[in-house]
Amino acid sequence: MPVVSAKRMLTDAATHGYAIGAFNVTNIIQMEAVIEAAAARRAPLIVQTSVTPTKFLRPEVIAAAFRAMAETLPIPACLHLDHCDDVEFCKRCADVGYTNVMYDGSKLEFEENIRLTREVVEYCHGRGDITVEGELGTVSGVEDQVRVAETEAELCDPARSLEFVERSGVDLFAPAIGTAHGVYTTENPKIDFDRFEKIQEIVNGRGIVAPLIVHGGTGLKPEVVKRLVALGGAKFNVSTDLKYALIDAIYEYISTHRNEYNPGKIDVAAKRAVIERVDYWIDLLGCGGRAEGSGAIQPPFQ
Ligand code: 13P
Protein backbone atom coordinates (compact mmCIF):
# COMPACT_ATOMS: atom_id res chain seq x y z
CA MET A 1 0.00 0.00 0.00
CA PRO A 2 1.43 3.38 -0.90
CA VAL A 3 2.62 6.03 1.50
CA VAL A 4 -0.39 8.34 1.93
CA SER A 5 -1.29 11.66 3.49
CA ALA A 6 -2.49 11.77 7.08
CA LYS A 7 -5.78 13.40 6.20
CA ARG A 8 -6.96 10.40 4.24
CA MET A 9 -6.32 8.05 7.14
CA LEU A 10 -7.65 10.34 9.82
CA THR A 11 -10.88 11.07 8.00
CA ASP A 12 -11.58 7.34 8.02
CA ALA A 13 -10.70 7.16 11.72
CA ALA A 14 -12.92 10.12 12.62
CA THR A 15 -15.77 8.68 10.56
CA HIS A 16 -15.58 5.22 12.10
CA GLY A 17 -14.80 6.03 15.75
CA TYR A 18 -11.23 4.86 16.13
CA ALA A 19 -7.92 6.71 16.34
CA ILE A 20 -4.50 6.31 14.78
CA GLY A 21 -1.24 6.29 16.71
CA ALA A 22 1.27 8.94 15.67
CA PHE A 23 4.56 7.76 17.07
CA ASN A 24 7.58 10.03 17.45
CA VAL A 25 10.80 8.27 16.49
CA THR A 26 14.33 9.47 17.03
CA ASN A 27 16.28 6.81 15.16
CA ILE A 28 16.02 3.99 12.65
CA ILE A 29 15.46 1.27 15.28
CA GLN A 30 12.39 3.06 16.60
CA MET A 31 11.16 3.65 13.06
CA GLU A 32 11.52 -0.02 12.18
CA ALA A 33 9.80 -1.01 15.41
CA VAL A 34 6.70 1.14 14.94
CA ILE A 35 6.37 0.13 11.28
CA GLU A 36 6.78 -3.56 12.06
CA ALA A 37 4.31 -3.40 14.96
CA ALA A 38 1.67 -1.58 12.91
CA ALA A 39 2.11 -3.90 9.92
CA ALA A 40 1.68 -6.99 12.11
CA ARG A 41 -1.62 -5.58 13.39
CA ARG A 42 -2.72 -4.17 10.00
CA ALA A 43 -3.04 -0.78 11.63
CA PRO A 44 -2.73 2.47 9.68
CA LEU A 45 0.29 4.35 10.94
CA ILE A 46 1.72 7.82 11.35
CA VAL A 47 5.45 7.99 11.97
CA GLN A 48 6.54 11.41 13.15
CA THR A 49 9.80 13.15 13.90
CA SER A 50 10.42 16.19 16.09
CA VAL A 51 12.58 18.97 14.72
CA THR A 52 15.84 18.17 16.59
CA PRO A 53 16.19 14.53 15.46
CA THR A 54 14.99 15.55 12.01
CA LYS A 55 17.79 18.09 11.72
CA PHE A 56 20.31 15.69 13.25
CA LEU A 57 19.56 12.82 10.86
CA ARG A 58 18.46 15.13 8.03
CA PRO A 59 14.96 15.04 6.57
CA GLU A 60 16.22 13.60 3.28
CA VAL A 61 17.68 10.57 5.09
CA ILE A 62 14.61 10.04 7.26
CA ALA A 63 12.21 10.31 4.31
CA ALA A 64 14.28 7.89 2.20
CA ALA A 65 14.50 5.35 5.03
CA PHE A 66 10.80 5.70 5.74
CA ARG A 67 9.84 5.13 2.11
CA ALA A 68 12.11 2.11 1.81
CA MET A 69 10.53 0.56 4.91
CA ALA A 70 6.92 1.57 4.37
CA GLU A 71 6.21 1.34 0.67
CA THR A 72 5.90 -2.42 0.38
CA LEU A 73 3.87 -2.87 3.56
CA PRO A 74 0.20 -3.89 3.64
CA ILE A 75 -0.74 -0.76 5.63
CA PRO A 76 -1.11 2.91 4.75
CA ALA A 77 1.64 4.91 6.41
CA CYS A 78 2.40 8.59 6.69
CA LEU A 79 5.55 10.51 7.62
CA HIS A 80 4.85 13.61 9.69
CA LEU A 81 7.03 16.50 10.88
CA ASP A 82 6.01 17.35 14.44
CA HIS A 83 5.85 20.81 16.10
CA CYS A 84 7.88 22.87 13.68
CA ASP A 85 7.77 26.66 14.08
CA ASP A 86 10.05 27.28 11.11
CA VAL A 87 8.13 27.76 7.86
CA GLU A 88 11.16 27.12 5.68
CA PHE A 89 12.00 23.85 7.43
CA CYS A 90 8.38 22.70 6.98
CA LYS A 91 8.76 23.38 3.26
CA ARG A 92 12.06 21.51 3.08
CA CYS A 93 10.50 18.45 4.70
CA ALA A 94 7.55 18.61 2.30
CA ASP A 95 10.04 18.81 -0.59
CA VAL A 96 11.92 15.66 0.39
CA GLY A 97 9.05 13.27 1.07
CA TYR A 98 7.23 14.07 4.32
CA THR A 99 3.53 13.48 3.64
CA ASN A 100 2.33 15.66 6.49
CA VAL A 101 3.78 18.57 8.44
CA MET A 102 2.75 20.40 11.57
CA TYR A 103 3.39 24.10 11.57
CA ASP A 104 3.28 25.07 15.25
CA GLY A 105 2.29 28.70 15.55
CA SER A 106 0.55 28.14 18.87
CA LYS A 107 2.70 30.66 20.73
CA LEU A 108 1.95 33.39 18.20
CA GLU A 109 -0.90 35.86 18.15
CA PHE A 110 -4.03 34.45 16.48
CA GLU A 111 -3.62 36.40 13.22
CA GLU A 112 0.09 35.60 12.91
CA ASN A 113 -0.59 31.92 13.62
CA ILE A 114 -3.15 31.91 10.80
CA ARG A 115 -0.87 33.78 8.38
CA LEU A 116 2.15 31.50 8.80
CA THR A 117 0.13 28.29 9.01
CA ARG A 118 -1.59 29.32 5.78
CA GLU A 119 1.76 29.87 4.08
CA VAL A 120 2.75 26.28 4.92
CA VAL A 121 -0.67 24.96 3.83
CA GLU A 122 -0.49 26.70 0.45
CA TYR A 123 3.00 25.41 -0.15
CA CYS A 124 2.17 21.83 0.83
CA HIS A 125 -1.10 21.67 -1.08
CA GLY A 126 0.67 23.14 -4.09
CA ARG A 127 3.04 20.18 -4.01
CA GLY A 128 0.22 17.61 -4.11
CA ASP A 129 -1.09 15.31 -1.45
CA ILE A 130 0.78 16.76 1.53
CA THR A 131 -1.40 17.71 4.45
CA VAL A 132 -0.85 20.14 7.31
CA GLU A 133 -1.63 20.14 11.03
CA GLY A 134 -2.12 23.40 12.93
CA GLU A 135 -2.50 24.13 16.63
CA LEU A 136 -4.56 26.60 18.60
CA GLY A 137 -3.93 27.15 22.30
CA THR A 138 -0.76 25.76 23.86
CA VAL A 139 0.07 22.30 25.18
CA SER A 140 2.13 22.42 28.37
CA GLY A 141 5.27 20.36 29.03
CA VAL A 142 8.36 19.71 26.93
CA GLU A 143 8.31 18.37 23.40
CA ASP A 144 11.70 18.74 21.75
CA GLN A 145 12.30 22.51 21.43
CA VAL A 146 8.80 23.42 22.55
CA ARG A 147 8.63 24.22 26.26
CA VAL A 148 5.46 25.54 27.85
CA ALA A 149 5.01 25.92 31.60
CA GLU A 150 1.71 24.67 33.01
CA THR A 151 0.88 28.19 34.16
CA GLU A 152 1.43 29.55 30.63
CA ALA A 153 -0.62 26.93 28.83
CA GLU A 154 -3.70 28.37 27.24
CA LEU A 155 -6.57 26.15 26.19
CA CYS A 156 -8.13 26.43 22.75
CA ASP A 157 -11.07 28.81 22.45
CA PRO A 158 -13.85 26.79 20.73
CA ALA A 159 -15.36 29.97 19.33
CA ARG A 160 -12.19 30.62 17.32
CA SER A 161 -11.58 27.03 16.17
CA LEU A 162 -13.60 27.06 12.99
CA GLU A 163 -12.25 30.47 12.01
CA PHE A 164 -8.70 29.16 12.52
CA VAL A 165 -9.36 26.02 10.50
CA GLU A 166 -11.11 27.82 7.66
CA ARG A 167 -8.75 30.76 7.33
CA SER A 168 -5.52 28.80 7.75
CA GLY A 169 -6.77 25.95 5.55
CA VAL A 170 -5.30 23.25 7.82
CA ASP A 171 -6.24 19.65 7.16
CA LEU A 172 -5.79 18.51 10.76
CA PHE A 173 -6.52 20.49 13.88
CA ALA A 174 -4.79 20.22 17.27
CA PRO A 175 -6.73 22.14 19.94
CA ALA A 176 -5.12 22.49 23.37
CA ILE A 177 -7.49 20.82 25.86
CA GLY A 178 -5.29 20.26 28.92
CA THR A 179 -3.14 17.33 27.82
CA ALA A 180 0.62 17.82 28.28
CA HIS A 181 3.84 16.70 26.64
CA GLY A 182 6.14 14.45 28.66
CA VAL A 183 5.32 12.77 31.93
CA TYR A 184 2.25 14.17 33.70
CA THR A 185 3.08 15.91 36.96
CA THR A 186 -0.20 14.80 38.49
CA GLU A 187 -1.97 11.46 38.48
CA ASN A 188 -5.20 12.97 37.21
CA PRO A 189 -4.44 15.71 34.69
CA LYS A 190 -7.36 18.03 34.09
CA ILE A 191 -8.55 17.28 30.58
CA ASP A 192 -11.32 19.54 29.29
CA PHE A 193 -13.58 16.96 27.64
CA ASP A 194 -16.45 19.44 27.23
CA ARG A 195 -14.21 21.82 25.36
CA PHE A 196 -13.01 19.00 23.12
CA GLU A 197 -16.57 17.92 22.38
CA LYS A 198 -17.62 21.46 21.59
CA ILE A 199 -14.68 21.91 19.21
CA GLN A 200 -15.46 18.64 17.46
CA GLU A 201 -19.08 19.74 17.01
CA ILE A 202 -18.09 23.16 15.68
CA VAL A 203 -15.35 21.95 13.31
CA ASN A 204 -16.52 18.50 12.24
CA GLY A 205 -20.21 18.40 13.21
CA ARG A 206 -21.43 18.67 9.62
CA GLY A 207 -18.88 16.33 8.06
CA ILE A 208 -15.20 15.90 8.75
CA VAL A 209 -13.39 19.11 7.86
CA ALA A 210 -10.23 18.76 9.97
CA PRO A 211 -9.86 15.63 12.13
CA LEU A 212 -8.89 16.47 15.72
CA ILE A 213 -5.45 15.67 17.10
CA VAL A 214 -4.59 14.86 20.70
CA HIS A 215 -1.08 15.74 21.84
CA GLY A 216 0.57 14.38 24.96
CA GLY A 217 -0.52 10.75 24.75
CA THR A 218 2.05 9.42 27.22
CA GLY A 219 0.63 8.82 30.68
CA LEU A 220 -3.03 9.34 29.82
CA LYS A 221 -5.15 6.72 31.53
CA PRO A 222 -6.83 4.21 29.18
CA GLU A 223 -10.30 5.48 30.09
CA VAL A 224 -9.24 9.04 29.24
CA VAL A 225 -7.86 7.96 25.87
CA LYS A 226 -11.00 5.99 25.08
CA ARG A 227 -13.23 8.92 26.00
CA LEU A 228 -11.26 11.28 23.78
CA VAL A 229 -11.44 8.79 20.90
CA ALA A 230 -15.21 8.52 21.39
CA LEU A 231 -15.47 12.32 21.28
CA GLY A 232 -13.62 12.49 17.96
CA GLY A 233 -9.87 12.37 18.69
CA ALA A 234 -8.50 10.83 15.48
CA LYS A 235 -4.71 11.09 15.91
CA PHE A 236 -2.95 10.43 19.20
CA ASN A 237 0.62 11.64 19.53
CA VAL A 238 2.90 9.40 21.56
CA SER A 239 6.54 10.27 22.11
CA THR A 240 7.86 10.03 25.68
CA ASP A 241 6.44 6.53 26.13
CA LEU A 242 8.58 5.21 23.26
CA LYS A 243 11.67 7.07 24.46
CA TYR A 244 11.35 5.43 27.87
CA ALA A 245 10.82 2.01 26.27
CA LEU A 246 13.90 2.44 24.09
CA ILE A 247 16.24 3.78 26.75
CA ASP A 248 15.10 1.43 29.52
CA ALA A 249 15.52 -1.59 27.24
CA ILE A 250 19.01 -0.50 26.19
CA TYR A 251 20.00 0.17 29.79
CA GLU A 252 18.62 -3.16 30.93
CA TYR A 253 20.36 -5.07 28.13
CA ILE A 254 23.73 -3.46 28.67
CA SER A 255 23.50 -3.85 32.45
CA THR A 256 22.89 -7.57 32.12
CA HIS A 257 25.40 -8.17 29.27
CA ARG A 258 28.19 -5.91 30.40
CA ASN A 259 30.94 -7.88 28.65
CA GLU A 260 29.18 -8.40 25.36
CA TYR A 261 30.07 -5.96 22.57
CA ASN A 262 27.36 -6.67 20.00
CA PRO A 263 25.31 -3.58 19.09
CA GLY A 264 22.93 -5.68 16.99
CA LYS A 265 21.69 -7.48 20.10
CA ILE A 266 21.09 -4.19 21.89
CA ASP A 267 19.07 -3.05 18.87
CA VAL A 268 16.96 -6.22 18.96
CA ALA A 269 16.16 -5.69 22.65
CA ALA A 270 15.32 -2.02 22.07
CA LYS A 271 13.14 -2.80 19.08
CA ARG A 272 11.22 -5.47 20.97
CA ALA A 273 10.46 -3.03 23.79
CA VAL A 274 9.18 -0.35 21.42
CA ILE A 275 7.01 -2.87 19.55
CA GLU A 276 5.38 -3.82 22.86
CA ARG A 277 4.40 -0.21 23.55
CA VAL A 278 3.07 0.34 20.04
CA ASP A 279 0.97 -2.81 20.46
CA TYR A 280 -0.48 -1.34 23.64
CA TRP A 281 -1.47 1.84 21.82
CA ILE A 282 -2.97 0.00 18.85
CA ASP A 283 -5.23 -1.93 21.25
CA LEU A 284 -6.25 1.23 23.06
CA LEU A 285 -6.93 3.30 19.97
CA GLY A 286 -8.81 0.53 18.17
CA CYS A 287 -6.91 0.93 14.89
CA GLY A 288 -5.81 -2.70 14.49
CA GLY A 289 -7.24 -4.23 11.29
CA ARG A 290 -8.21 -0.80 9.90
CA ALA A 291 -5.57 -0.65 7.19
CA GLU A 292 -7.90 -1.25 4.24
CA GLY A 293 -10.49 1.41 5.03
CA SER A 294 -8.05 4.17 5.79
CA GLY A 295 -5.98 3.72 2.66
CA ALA A 296 -8.98 3.71 0.37
CA ILE A 297 -10.31 7.20 1.06
CA GLN A 298 -9.48 9.70 -1.67
CA PRO A 299 -7.38 12.77 -0.87
CA PRO A 300 -9.26 16.03 -0.26
CA PHE A 301 -7.46 17.86 -3.03
CA GLN A 302 -5.36 17.26 -6.21
P1 13P B 1 4.13 12.72 24.81
O1 13P B 1 5.62 12.85 24.78
O2 13P B 1 3.54 13.22 26.08
O3 13P B 1 3.66 11.37 24.43
O4 13P B 1 3.55 13.74 23.70
C1 13P B 1 3.83 13.51 22.36
C2 13P B 1 3.32 14.60 21.50
O5 13P B 1 2.29 15.18 21.73
C3 13P B 1 4.15 14.93 20.33
O6 13P B 1 3.63 15.99 19.60
Side-chain angles (χ1 to χ4, degrees):
M1 217 170 274
V3 170
V4 296
S5 82
K7 173 114 182 208
R8 259 191 269 185
M9 293 186 209
L10 294 170
T11 300
D12 190 73
T15 307
H16 294 104
Y18 67 96
I20 295 174
F23 301 104
N24 288 63
V25 303
T26 54
N27 62 26
I28 297 292
I29 300 299
Q30 273 183 321
M31 187 186 282
E32 275 189 345
V34 297
I35 289 176
E36 208 173 294
R41 302 288 306 277
R42 298 191 81 80
L45 170 69
I46 297 172
V47 173
Q48 51 191 29
T49 58
S50 305
V51 173
T52 302
T54 309
K55 285 187 173 164
F56 181 76
L57 290 170
R58 286 183 290 132
E60 294 79 2
V61 173
I62 295 173
F66 174 75
R67 261 180 203 274
M69 287 183 209
E71 238 159 22
T72 57
L73 291 173
I75 55 166
C78 158
L79 180 62
H80 171 76
L81 175 68
D82 199 24
H83 285 290
C84 183
D85 62 1
D86 175 346
V87 170
E88 293 312 312
F89 195 67
C90 286
K91 291 179 184 174
R92 177 171 160 200
C93 289
D95 284 345
V96 300
Y98 277 67
T99 50
N100 204 78
V101 302
M102 175 186 188
Y103 174 73
D104 183 350
S106 59
K107 282 186 169 174
L108 303 173
E109 291 299 315
F110 186 66
E111 287 300 327
E112 192 62 354
N113 188 359
I114 288 181
R115 188 179 74 77
L116 293 174
T117 306
R118 176 142 208 109
E119 186 179 336
V120 175
V121 168
E122 281 173 1
Y123 187 84
C124 288
H125 288 186
R127 291 197 58 84
D129 193 8
I130 301 172
T131 49
V132 178
E133 175 179 333
E135 179 172 317
L136 197 59
T138 43
V139 177
S140 70
V142 180
E143 167 49 40
D144 194 36
Q145 303 162 323
V146 184
R147 283 166 191 272
V148 180
E150 248 172 83
T151 47
E152 281 171 24
E154 194 185 309
L155 299 189
C156 173
D157 177 358
R160 303 201 97 173
S161 339
L162 192 58
E163 184 186 354
F164 177 79
V165 168
E166 285 181 346
R167 287 182 54 210
S168 68
V170 286
D171 305 285
L172 319 173
F173 182 46
I177 52 158
T179 59
H181 292 130
V183 176
Y184 285 93
T185 51
T186 155
E187 207 194 318
N188 290 305
K190 212 166 159 276
I191 313 297
D192 197 334
F193 296 104
D194 290 345
R195 184 180 300 263
F196 194 66
E197 188 172 15
K198 210 175 283 171
I199 295 167
Q200 171 70 349
E201 176 54 34
I202 291 171
V203 175
N204 296 314
R206 287 170 300 283
I208 307 297
V209 173
L212 298 192
I213 316 303
V214 179
H215 282 253
T218 300
L220 288 178
K221 291 191 171 159
E223 58 271 24
V224 170
V225 173
K226 285 189 175 157
R227 192 165 164 197
L228 288 171
V229 174
L231 292 176
K235 169 179 181 264
F236 267 70
N237 287 7
V238 179
S239 176
T240 307
D241 195 14
L242 301 195
K243 286 181 190 153
Y244 273 51
L246 181 89
I247 291 171
D248 286 348
I250 291 173
Y251 180 79
E252 164 79 16
Y253 191 87
I254 293 175
S255 306
T256 51
H257 300 78
R258 198 56 203 94
N259 295 315
E260 183 184 275
Y261 287 83
N262 186 338
K265 287 194 176 178
I266 300 171
D267 291 347
V268 169
K271 188 169 163 185
R272 200 174 293 139
V274 174
I275 287 176
E276 236 174 68
R277 291 313 297 163
V278 174
D279 251 339
Y280 165 86
W281 281 99
I282 290 173
D283 283 338
L284 198 53
L285 300 175
C287 56
R290 293 286 187 170
E292 273 68 28
S294 58
I297 290 179
Q298 290 308 303
F301 43 77
Q302 264 182 350

